[in-house]
Amino acid sequence: MNTSPRPLPAIVCGVDDGYARPLRTLMHSIAAAHPGTLGELRLIVLDQQISDANRKAIRRDADRTGLRTELRPAPVTDPRYPVSDWVSGAVYVRLAIPEVIPDEHRVLYLDADTVVLGDLRPLLRQSLDGRPVGAVRDPQNPVIGRGIQLPGWEKLGVPYGRDYFNSGVMLIDLERCRRLGVFERSRQFLSAHPDKVRFWDQDALNWAVDDNWQRLDRRWNTFAMSPQAAQAGFIHHAEADSPLAQLLEDEKTAALVHFAGPDKPWQDTYPAGELRDTYRLFHDYVADGGTE
């Protein structure tokens, strides 16, 4: 009788050249957070036409850290999908996960602008109670109708007050998603309703999942709020549903910090502070001989 433990789901990230170096930073943070257990983890990178130099850098850092890493080519984003602000078409790479990764039953998707500070294995093992996706409520737009997410929600038939998740960290049951057509419906939504999209793939996924998602503990997707809150003129518009004091307190127990938004900790203009310093500890590892 085989009593060996079942392999953990793969971690998945999707990048173009603009996020190749942050991906490598994330890789170093994963390695640092799993001393002695890194061999249980593996990473699949959805490669959206990154350069040969960046591919070599990713593979080199995989060898340096000991994190098993596989690169798989990802399709180019449909030009009909809306892009704006600080994002490129690569924001939609995660919607290709079922096609690019047909051989996995379940994966943990992470945005490349995240950093891991705690053991991911409890999250990788967490039950989804039969739901297709596990995620954390978006701290800045937590509830439909009381934020700027999913404009036109009323015409789309989405109920006021429904929870809204952030797609930067998602535990995904790929088999259930395939049965429910979650990713197909997301792509159809983007093609049919580009005028009703504010947060790109995230709006589409929230519409397609239709509230059928498992709520994860906030420590698995803790926004870096303290650097934003320290800036002059900062206003937290979701205070009633997601108090800023609680979000700042969450940073102390975060297992995974997400630097969401246009300001990134690798930029010279990013506010000084503990989170920036923590991020740059890992980022400095990839600066030596690395490419952007």
Side-chain angles (χ1 to χ4, degrees):
M1 180 177 177
N2 185 5
T3 59
S4 59
R6 184 175 181 177
L8 292 173
I11 300 166
V12 176
C13 297
V15 296
D16 58 8
D17 276 324
Y19 277 83
R21 185 171 170 185
L23 167 70
R24 294 164 55 209
T25 302
L26 172 58
M27 291 167 63
H28 279 276
S29 76
I30 292 171
H34 297 84
T37 60
L38 189 61
E40 299 179 40
L41 305 184
R42 54 202 171 93
L43 172 68
I44 298 174
V45 178
L46 308 184
D47 168 2
Q48 193 175 65
Q49 298 183 321
I50 62 176
S51 67
D52 288 339
N54 275 324
R55 287 192 193 99
K56 290 178 182 176
I58 291 168
R59 292 189 177 106
R60 183 174 65 244
D61 279 1
D63 290 339
R64 285 176 176 173
T65 61
L67 177 61
R68 288 181 292 164
T69 303
E70 176 188 359
L71 284 84
R72 299 192 186 188
V76 176
T77 296
D78 189 321
R80 293 175 296 175
Y81 297 172
V83 293
S84 56
D85 298 334
W86 64 93
V87 306
S88 69
V91 74
Y92 295 107
V93 172
R94 75 200 79 186
L95 296 184
I97 288 175
E99 288 71 41
V100 179
I101 311 178
D103 49 323
E104 299 285 341
H105 300 295
R106 177 167 155 149
V107 298
L108 172 64
Y109 172 82
L110 301 181
D111 270 354
D113 58 356
T114 57
V115 65
V116 174
L117 302 179
D119 190 348
L120 291 177
R121 293 175 300 163
L123 174 59
L124 290 166
R125 296 187 181 107
Q126 180 162 332
S127 171
L128 292 179
D129 292 335
R131 297 180 176 89
V133 171
V136 175
R137 198 169 71 152
D138 191 281
Q140 293 179 300
N141 294 275
V143 175
I144 295 291
R146 297 200 290 271
I148 60 174
Q149 77 281 58
L150 207 60
W153 55 271
E154 290 176 286
K155 293 182 180 178
L156 292 167
V158 178
Y160 175 83
R162 195 178 84 182
D163 283 352
Y164 177 90
F165 65 82
N166 181 270
S167 66
V169 177
M170 293 186 294
L171 191 59
I172 305 171
D173 182 331
L174 287 172
E175 292 183 336
R176 187 162 292 275
C177 280
R178 292 184 183 105
R179 288 199 296 271
L180 297 176
V182 168
F183 288 85
E184 292 87 348
R185 295 182 72 232
S186 297
R187 291 191 291 267
Q188 292 166 5
F189 174 84
L190 290 164
S191 297
H193 304 287
D195 59 320
K196 294 181 174 62
V197 173
R198 176 63 182 86
F199 291 123
W200 315 289
D201 68 289
Q202 186 168 283
D203 279 348
L205 284 163
N206 270 272
W207 179 84
V209 169
D210 194 26
D211 204 38
N212 184 25
W213 56 281
Q214 181 75 356
R215 276 64 170 169
L216 300 179
D217 190 277
R218 293 192 304 269
R219 69 191 180 105
W220 298 122
N221 188 356
T222 300
F223 272 29
M225 295 296 295
S226 56
Q228 299 180 51
Q231 297 188 70
F234 172 79
I235 300 175
H236 180 54
H237 294 286
E239 184 65 26
D241 300 298
S242 190
L244 180 59
Q246 181 61 61
L247 298 180
L248 296 176
E249 191 69 17
D250 286 347
E251 293 179 2
K252 299 176 183 178
T253 57
L256 206 159
V257 174
H258 187 184
F259 294 89
D263 300 321
K264 303 300 184 186
W266 57 84
Q267 298 169 342
D268 292 339
T269 55
Y270 195 78
E274 185 176 350
L275 285 182
R276 186 194 70 171
D277 294 345
T278 298
Y279 184 88
R280 291 187 180 183
L281 284 174
F282 303 113
H283 201 59
D284 287 347
Y285 280 113
V286 307
D288 181 20
T291 57
E292 296 281 0

